[in-house]
């Protein structure tokens, strides 16, 4: 950094020879591996104000306070209190009720169950920032749009309900009485990602952890440490330091395989590396989910991680895990448990343990990035993962801002999870209607994914067409995908079950095929003839017939039935049966297994023996 540039900067802080750009100019790069950083949790009870008319944001003439009159006492983010009894103040966070963070607001308060709009959240905190250190506020996820303020200053706006984001607050934080305020708006919008129409509940709120993260003046912001594509003995990647103002060194250590690699970083703060690890690596797999202790050390900090090393690739119709063909015995799941947004480690363990009990070696985390706990637990428990961004159904494919939003969500999830061995597939879409604009949109997302991560496979849940009774999987974007995945609902949304096993499917692609969704509803505990919809016998028969059909599909290398557990959906209203739930779960929202669960479990047990893994 040339010091002569310093005088052009309006506000800058010089700390012991380091020049810190003002927080707003500092790269707001996403911090990853937060569980191994120096953090202070802000989880707990936050005051909230329901603001359907956004009174705390707009003046009565629709002027945005933080643009036109930032210090207005009427702007909720100023957390204003009467200075004398004559003053007019029409809100008070401290006298307002509280919501638990993390958690959706819909299932915490009956009068918020269907609420779609703005709710303000406020949390006060004290903080003693060590001299020369820097402070960030980090959000695991906020659905859908968050406008974040600290001590009345706007930190930024984040769009996207399922990815992490953070802001530097070094120059704004005080020792006492900081007030962190969020305007959270979960309204569904045609040009958002997802758009306005989804088959899942629009859970609003601060739905994942919030924490403060303290870093040294120069800190390890990001790194990728994975097996290099096409090798199984070379560990490669990059390291990014933030705040660097002179050449620095970093050391990557993986003691168990005698790796100790020093890396030179220039003032740009980035460095790529390759490490020959010889033949000492014990590869990660569902049967043996080996994780190594990895550390990155600089002159200012030592950060630990747990990373598994494995190769994933395709060869013709085969998926090869560590060079051996693998069949993905999967299940789809929403980030939902017992009728509420899942969050935290316990929920992750419960959902993934149920998947293991079903006999899975793979899970499709639909239709959006789940919490980091899910990926960390999948690493530990041995489950391969399909991660997806919510480019779902009718996205506004001609809208550039919509594309950039989708691209940003992809960047945020890949930045967070690119060191997780369990993640083998990035998915860019689900059941999107065909058009040239959609093909361009998805092509660009696929290209973008490859710029961020060359080591994983790329797919999307496609739709198929039918010609003279033959199912055809020839979606044009299949050309750019590594795996051809498609959803089909024979026997539920059409097609006859009795003849399903004789159905024919074809695809022009010599690539692995995954049936990414099939299934049907059953109300748990409802029994009757298999010909009658909604009972468990019908669902069991539907699974039996579909599996006999699916196993004949050419290049089939994976299945993920829809879905592990019943989940809330505003689209499912049949009284006494759905009652606002999609009932395709193999397990009810009250943790009761249905007959089809056991049929699928037996099927996977047989399949595991066939692939002897
Ligand atoms: C679709 C969609 C799911 C939906 C499911 C259903 O394929 O991908 O999000 O819930 O089918 O209709 O139950």
């Amino acid at each position: 950094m040339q010091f002569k540039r310093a005088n052009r900067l309006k506000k800058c802080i010089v700390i012991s020879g380091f020049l810190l750009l003002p927080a707003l100019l500092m790269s707001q790069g996403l911090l990853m591996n937060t569980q191994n950083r120096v953090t202070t949790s802000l989880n707990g009870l936050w005051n909230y104000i329901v603001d359907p008319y956004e009174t705390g944001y707009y003046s009565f003439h629709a002027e945005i306070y933080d643009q036109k009159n930032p210090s207005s006492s009427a702007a909720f983010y100023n957390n204003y209190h009467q200075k004398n009894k004559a003053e007019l103040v029409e809100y008070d966070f401290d006298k307002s009720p509280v919501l638990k963070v993390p958690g959706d607001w819909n299932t915490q308060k009956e009068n918020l169950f269907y609420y779609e709009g703005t709710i303000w959240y406020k949390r006060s905190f004290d903080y003693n920032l060590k001299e020369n250190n820097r402070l960030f506020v980090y959000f695991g996820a906020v659905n859908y749009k968050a406008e974040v303020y600290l001590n009345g200053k706007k930190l930024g706006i984040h769009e996207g309900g399922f990815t992490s984001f953070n802001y530097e607050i070094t120059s704004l934080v005080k020792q006492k009485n900081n007030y962190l305020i969020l305007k959270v708006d979960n309204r569904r919008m045609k040009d958002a990602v997802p758009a306005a129409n989804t088959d899942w509940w629009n859970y609003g709120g601060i739905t994942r952890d919030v924490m403060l993260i303290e870093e040294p003046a120069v800190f390890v912001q990001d790194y990728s440490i994975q097996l290099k594509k096409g090798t199984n003995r070379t560990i490669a990647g990059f390291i990014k330091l933030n705040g660097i103002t002179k050449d620095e060194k970093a050391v990557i250590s993986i003691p168990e395989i005698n790796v100790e690699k020093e890396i030179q970083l220039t003032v740009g703060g980035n460095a790529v590396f390759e490490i020959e690890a010889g033949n000492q690596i014990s590869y990660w797999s569902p049967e043996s989910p080996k994780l190594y202790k990895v550390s990155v050390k600089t002159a200012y900090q030592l950060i630990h991680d747990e990373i598994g090393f494995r190769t994933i690739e395709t060869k013709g119709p085969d998926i090869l895990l560590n060079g051996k063909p693998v069949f993905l015995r999967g299940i789809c799941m929403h980030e939902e448990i017992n009728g509420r947004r899942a969050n935290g480690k316990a929920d992750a363990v419960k959902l993934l343990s149920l998947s293991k009990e079903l006999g899975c070696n793979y899970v499709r985390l639909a239709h959006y990035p789940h919490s980091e706990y899910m990926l960390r637990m999948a690493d530990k428990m041995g489950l391969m993962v399909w991660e997806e961004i919510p480019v779902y159904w009718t996205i506004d494919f001609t809208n550039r801002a919509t594309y950039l939003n989708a691209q940003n969500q992809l960047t945020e999830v890949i930045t967070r999870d690119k060191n997780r061995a369990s993640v083998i597939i990035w998915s860019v879409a689900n059941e999107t209607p065909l058009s040239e604009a959609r093909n361009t949109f998805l092509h660009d997302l696929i290209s973008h994914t490859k710029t961020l991560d060359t080591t994983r496979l790329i797919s999307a849940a496609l739709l198929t067409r039918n010609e003279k009774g033959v199912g055809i999987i020839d979606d044009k974007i299949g050309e750019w995908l590594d795996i051809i995945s498609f959803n089909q609902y024979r026997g539920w949304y059409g097609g006859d079950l009795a003849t399903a096993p004789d159905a024919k499917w074809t695809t022009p692609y010599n690539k692995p095929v995954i049936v990414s969704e099939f299934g049907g509803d059953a109300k748990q505990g409802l029994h009757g003839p298999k010909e009658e919809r909604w009972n468990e016998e019908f669902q069991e028969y539907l699974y039996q017939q579909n599996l006999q059909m699916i196993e004949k599909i050419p290049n089939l290398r994976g299945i993920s039935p829809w879905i592990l557990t019943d989940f809330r959906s505003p689209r499912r209203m049949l009284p006494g049966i759905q009652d606002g739930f999609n009932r395709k779960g193999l397990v009810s929202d009250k943790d009761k297994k249905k007959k089809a669960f056991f049929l699928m479990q037996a099927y996977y047990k047989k399949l595991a023996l066939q692939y002897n893994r």
Side-chain angles (χ1 to χ4, degrees):
M1 163 78 60
Q2 304 301 322
F3 275 85
K4 65 175 180 297
R5 281 174 52 196
N7 54 32
R8 283 213 307 271
L9 298 173
K10 297 236 174 358
K11 266 191 320 156
C12 62
I13 311 151
V14 182
I15 295 180
S16 63
F18 292 104
L19 191 64
L20 282 187
L21 290 170
L24 296 186
L25 286 180
M26 185 63 72
S27 87
Q28 290 303 342
L30 181 63
L31 294 171
M32 37 75 85
N33 185 16
T34 56
Q35 67 175 26
N36 288 298
R37 292 181 187 268
V38 176
T39 61
T40 302
S41 174
L42 293 183
N43 291 351
L45 298 178
W46 291 47
N47 297 96
Y48 74 95
I49 297 173
V50 183
D51 187 6
Y53 283 60
E54 301 186 301
T55 309
Y57 188 72
Y58 293 102
S59 73
F60 73 127
H61 280 167
E63 290 183 327
I64 298 177
Y65 285 122
D66 69 29
Q67 291 173 14
K68 294 283 186 195
N69 181 7
S71 59
S72 165
S73 61
F76 287 8
Y77 56 79
N78 283 322
N79 189 31
Y80 197 78
H81 292 83
Q82 251 189 341
K83 289 200 173 39
N84 60 64
K85 291 288 178 201
E87 257 197 318
L88 170 64
V89 181
E90 298 181 271
Y91 68 96
D92 184 332
F93 277 108
D94 300 333
K95 292 186 182 139
S96 298
V98 293
L99 279 170
K100 203 165 59 65
V101 167
D104 66 82
W105 64 55
N106 313 72
T107 58
Q108 289 191 60
K109 305 284 178 186
E110 207 172 318
N111 61 359
L112 298 180
F113 186 62
Y114 283 102
Y115 183 72
E116 294 186 306
T118 284
I119 287 186
W120 295 83
Y121 284 78
K122 190 271 283 185
R123 176 74 154 76
S124 297
F125 66 91
D126 301 337
Y127 199 86
N128 236 333
L129 179 58
K130 287 189 196 65
E131 199 181 349
N132 290 354
N133 279 4
R134 299 164 65 180
L135 195 63
F136 295 81
V137 61
Y138 174 95
F139 301 90
V142 180
N143 189 46
Y144 168 79
K145 182 175 180 182
E147 305 204 28
V148 186
Y149 305 81
L150 179 71
N151 301 336
K153 293 282 179 300
K154 186 159 202 174
L155 301 181
I157 300 175
H158 183 269
E159 231 189 290
F162 305 96
T163 47
S164 317
F165 59 101
N166 49 246
Y167 300 104
E168 180 157 13
I169 56 172
T170 308
S171 58
L172 298 173
V173 69
K174 304 176 296 185
Q175 278 203 338
K176 291 284 181 205
N177 303 320
N178 296 284
Y179 49 95
L180 176 63
I181 292 178
L182 274 76
K183 175 185 180 291
V184 179
D185 181 357
N186 77 327
R187 274 171 301 175
R188 291 166 292 113
M189 315 292 259
K190 174 177 87 62
D191 59 355
V193 179
N197 188 21
T198 66
D199 190 23
W200 69 79
W201 205 268
N202 178 30
Y203 289 114
I206 305 177
T207 51
R208 294 183 196 151
D209 294 341
V210 182
M211 61 186 83
L212 299 173
I213 303 178
E214 184 167 343
E215 297 289 348
V218 177
F219 67 91
V220 178
Q221 175 181 313
D222 194 5
Y223 55 82
S224 171
I225 303 175
Q226 292 280 283
L227 279 174
K228 184 180 177 182
K229 183 86 179 164
T231 77
N232 64 1
R233 295 187 177 185
T234 305
I235 294 172
F238 70 83
I239 287 189
K240 179 180 177 59
L241 295 190
N242 185 311
I244 194 169
T245 58
K246 64 178 177 55
D247 288 1
E248 298 285 354
K249 286 191 177 63
V251 177
I252 295 177
S253 305
I254 315 174
E256 215 178 325
I257 51 173
N258 306 312
V259 163
E260 182 91 7
K261 171 88 175 179
E262 183 173 283
I263 296 155
Q264 193 65 40
L265 290 113
T266 60
V267 172
N270 275 305
V272 295
F273 63 85
E274 288 197 5
I275 303 170
E276 290 312 319
N279 59 359
Q280 308 170 73
I281 297 174
S282 168
Y283 297 105
W284 183 94
S285 71
E287 298 73 30
S288 168
K290 169 70 182 171
L291 298 177
Y292 284 94
K293 295 208 177 313
V294 178
S295 68
V296 179
K297 187 172 180 352
T298 70
Y300 316 90
Q301 131 185 79
L302 170 63
I303 185 165
H304 297 285
D305 204 342
E306 286 189 296
I307 297 178
F309 299 104
R310 53 101 188 94
T311 62
I312 190 77
E313 57 202 322
T314 62
K315 191 175 175 192
D318 282 334
I319 300 173
L320 304 179
L321 173 69
N322 301 322
K324 282 200 322 184
V326 66
F327 189 94
L328 306 182
R329 305 189 308 273
I331 189 73
C332 292
M333 65 176 81
H334 267 298
E335 189 170 41
E336 175 162 331
I337 192 119
N338 306 132
R340 64 172 168 77
R341 185 56 79 217
N343 61 64
K345 189 172 174 182
D347 287 347
V349 171
K350 183 170 177 180
L351 286 166
L352 297 177
S353 302
L354 206 46
S355 307
K356 291 289 265 191
E357 186 183 348
L358 183 62
C360 296
N361 62 0
Y362 160 74
V363 290
R364 176 181 177 222
L365 302 186
H367 283 293
Y368 37 75
H370 290 208
S371 82
E372 186 172 358
Y373 291 104
M374 291 291 277
L375 288 309
R376 291 282 182 176
M377 288 318 298
D379 267 11
K380 284 187 166 61
M381 296 170 68
L383 282 160
M384 293 176 281
V385 172
W386 159 308
E387 276 211 277
E388 184 164 291
I389 55 168
V391 174
Y392 180 93
W393 292 355
T394 52
I395 293 287
D396 188 355
F397 290 115
T398 59
N399 184 321
R400 182 72 185 150
T402 303
Y403 172 77
L404 292 174
N405 179 348
Q407 181 179 280
N408 181 57
Q409 293 186 38
L410 198 54
T411 302
E412 289 176 338
V413 66
I414 293 175
T415 301
R416 189 193 72 178
D417 295 340
K418 59 186 174 296
N419 292 310
R420 304 281 71 80
S422 51
V423 181
I424 60 166
I425 296 169
W426 301 119
S427 165
V428 296
N430 180 78
E431 294 193 352
T432 47
L434 304 183
S435 71
E436 269 315 303
R438 167 263 196 184
N439 292 348
T440 305
F441 190 102
L442 298 186
H443 175 270
D444 291 352
L445 282 180
I446 292 164
S447 308
H448 181 69
T449 304
K450 289 177 177 166
T451 65
L452 298 171
D453 179 6
T454 59
T455 71
R456 290 176 175 83
L457 305 175
I458 300 173
S459 190
L462 307 172
L463 290 169
T464 63
R465 62 190 181 87
N466 198 298
E467 216 165 75
K468 303 191 186 80
V470 177
I472 301 175
I473 315 132
D474 63 351
D475 188 315
K476 170 157 181 52
I477 69 160
E479 278 171 47
W480 311 313
L481 299 175
D482 297 306
I483 294 181
I484 305 297
S485 306
F486 70 98
N487 300 346
Q488 66 81 32
Y489 279 89
R490 176 101 182 202
W492 186 261
Y493 291 121
D496 155 72
L497 281 178
T499 56
D502 306 325
K504 296 283 176 286
W505 293 85
T506 176
T507 178
Y509 297 112
N510 181 28
K511 297 182 176 181
V513 169
I514 292 180
V515 175
S516 35
E517 286 183 33
F518 78 90
D521 286 57
K523 166 86 173 165
Q524 190 277 326
L526 183 65
H527 296 285
K530 68 176 184 333
E531 292 73 22
E532 285 177 15
R533 203 179 277 259
W534 304 112
N535 67 42
E536 287 194 38
E537 285 70 19
F538 179 96
Q539 186 189 44
E540 183 187 39
Y541 177 61
L542 178 145
Y543 267 70
Q544 171 194 295
Q545 297 301 95
N546 268 272
L547 287 168
Q548 287 180 30
M549 171 184 77
I550 289 168
E551 58 194 15
K552 296 176 193 159
I553 292 175
N555 300 350
L556 185 78
R557 297 293 184 274
I559 313 174
S560 48
W562 188 262
I563 188 168
L564 182 64
T565 65
D566 292 353
F567 60 95
R568 287 190 192 278
S569 168
R571 296 164 50 87
R572 310 298 178 174
M573 301 92 160
L574 185 61
I577 299 285
Q578 294 175 314
D579 299 317
F581 278 86
N582 181 312
R583 296 285 182 201
K584 293 188 182 68
L586 293 175
V587 183
S588 77
D589 57 295
K590 302 268 187 307
D591 302 331
K592 295 267 185 277
K593 296 182 179 81
K594 304 174 190 175
K595 293 177 83 169
F597 179 95
F598 302 103
L599 182 141
M600 200 67 222
Q601 189 182 48
Y603 187 84
Y604 278 164
K605 193 168 177 182
K606 184 170 58 99
L607 208 55
L609 292 173
Q610 203 179 318
Y611 270 81
N612 75 356
R613 49 149 104 202

